[in-house]
Amino acid sequence: EAGVAQSPRYKIIEKRQSVAFWCNPISGHATLYWYQQILGQGPKLLIQFQNNGVVDDSQLPKDRFSAERLKGVDSTLKIQPAKLEDSAVYLCASSPGPSNQPQHFGDGTRLSIL
Amino acid sequence: SQQGEEDPQALSIQEGENATMNCSYKTSINNLQWYRQNSGRGLVHLILIRSNEREKHSGRLRVTLDTSKKSSSLLITASRAADTASYFCATDATGGGNKLTFGTGTQLKVEL
């Protein structure tokens, strides 16, 4: 089966600019996750979707980050305006359901803020 | 916030040796999962162990879970250079709905 697809792989922007990341999960996976991974740390969950509804966005900085999952398939994560501390790898993952399931990760988007 | 702490932070061994990584966590869990991450890539799921299980095997991997001590260990036997990667434990807290909290990771280097 095809894995989780993410684009772009790399993005360089200046602070205060906006950026968007795209994720296509594994076909049939109802649950989609966005993580932020800062260099040298483990991933931190930003938002979890179940189909097209938000399950948890408690760690999403809502003043600058937004995410949507229209039609319960693809998802986009946006940052506007970007800050220097947003430099990280943004990982998308999906799982078949919401409990006791392994998550399948894409290769991420590496974001650098100048 | 990081729930789990892996120990050691870095580990360097020779090919053929065994590698053991430990993970401690803070809250009650539904399950604990181990993932591998190669440089510049996403995470790959290795093993999921449920809170009512004590030990699980998959190929050269052995995972133990001690819920009374809130700790887990990952053993890789007969390591290979291809096992060089970062290894993370992640916990699905009770009532968390598959929301994973990752530890800080162990960087494993296997030398020829």
Side-chain angles (χ1 to χ4, degrees):
Chain A
E1 65 180 2
V4 176
Q6 288 189 248
S7 67
R9 285 283 281 132
Y10 305 93
K11 191 73 178 179
I12 301 173
I13 63 172
E14 295 185 347
K15 60 183 179 184
R16 291 188 289 274
Q17 287 187 325
S18 62
V19 64
F21 315 123
W22 174 81
C23 173
N24 186 17
I26 292 173
S27 178
H29 280 195
T31 313
L32 184 146
Y33 315 80
W34 282 102
Y35 289 88
Q36 179 192 59
Q37 185 176 24
I38 292 172
L39 187 64
Q41 299 182 17
K44 182 184 84 170
L45 180 69
L46 293 176
I47 189 167
Q48 178 183 352
F49 291 93
Q50 180 68 20
N51 297 309
N52 61 349
V54 175
V55 174
D56 189 309
D57 63 357
S58 58
Q59 298 193 89
L60 188 73
K62 298 180 188 63
D63 58 334
R64 297 183 301 104
F65 286 64
S66 64
E68 61 182 9
R69 191 184 183 197
L70 298 177
K71 301 180 182 178
V73 182
D74 294 6
S75 177
T76 56
L77 176 70
K78 297 179 182 177
I79 308 175
Q80 182 179 12
K83 291 185 176 182
L84 292 175
E85 63 257 34
D86 299 332
S87 291
V89 176
Y90 291 85
L91 295 162
C92 178
S94 68
S95 65
S99 62
N100 284 316
Q101 301 280 348
Q103 295 182 18
H104 302 260
F105 283 78
D107 283 337
T109 297
R110 182 175 297 276
L111 175 66
S112 297
I113 312 291
L114 303 178
Chain B
S1 62
Q2 307 276 175
Q3 146 108 294
E5 295 289 333
E6 277 96 334
D7 170 55
Q9 289 189 337
L11 180 61
S12 183
I13 60 174
Q14 297 294 312
E15 200 171 46
E17 294 181 336
N18 296 341
T20 300
M21 289 159 260
N22 302 296
C23 168
S24 60
Y25 58 92
K26 298 174 184 174
T27 64
S28 63
I29 60 172
N30 290 323
N31 65 70
L32 183 145
Q33 303 179 32
W34 285 90
Y35 288 81
R36 183 187 75 232
Q37 186 176 35
N38 291 87
S39 180
R41 303 299 300 273
L43 284 79
V44 174
H45 179 261
L46 298 176
I47 285 186
L48 181 154
I49 185 165
R50 301 188 184 211
S51 60
N52 61 353
E53 297 175 311
R54 291 297 166 258
E55 189 170 312
K56 208 161 183 180
H57 297 254
S58 177
R60 294 184 295 112
L61 306 180
R62 172 179 170 255
V63 167
T64 62
L65 178 64
D66 187 335
T67 53
S68 67
K69 295 181 179 178
K70 292 187 169 57
S71 67
S72 175
S73 67
L74 169 67
L75 168 68
I76 304 173
T77 60
S79 63
R80 306 167 181 167
D83 295 329
T84 295
S86 293
Y87 291 81
F88 294 91
C89 70
T91 51
D92 176 10
T94 302
N98 218 38
K99 183 177 71 174
L100 295 181
T101 303
F102 283 83
T104 50
T106 293
Q107 287 191 339
L108 174 64
K109 183 175 182 180
V110 182
E111 300 184 84
L112 294 170

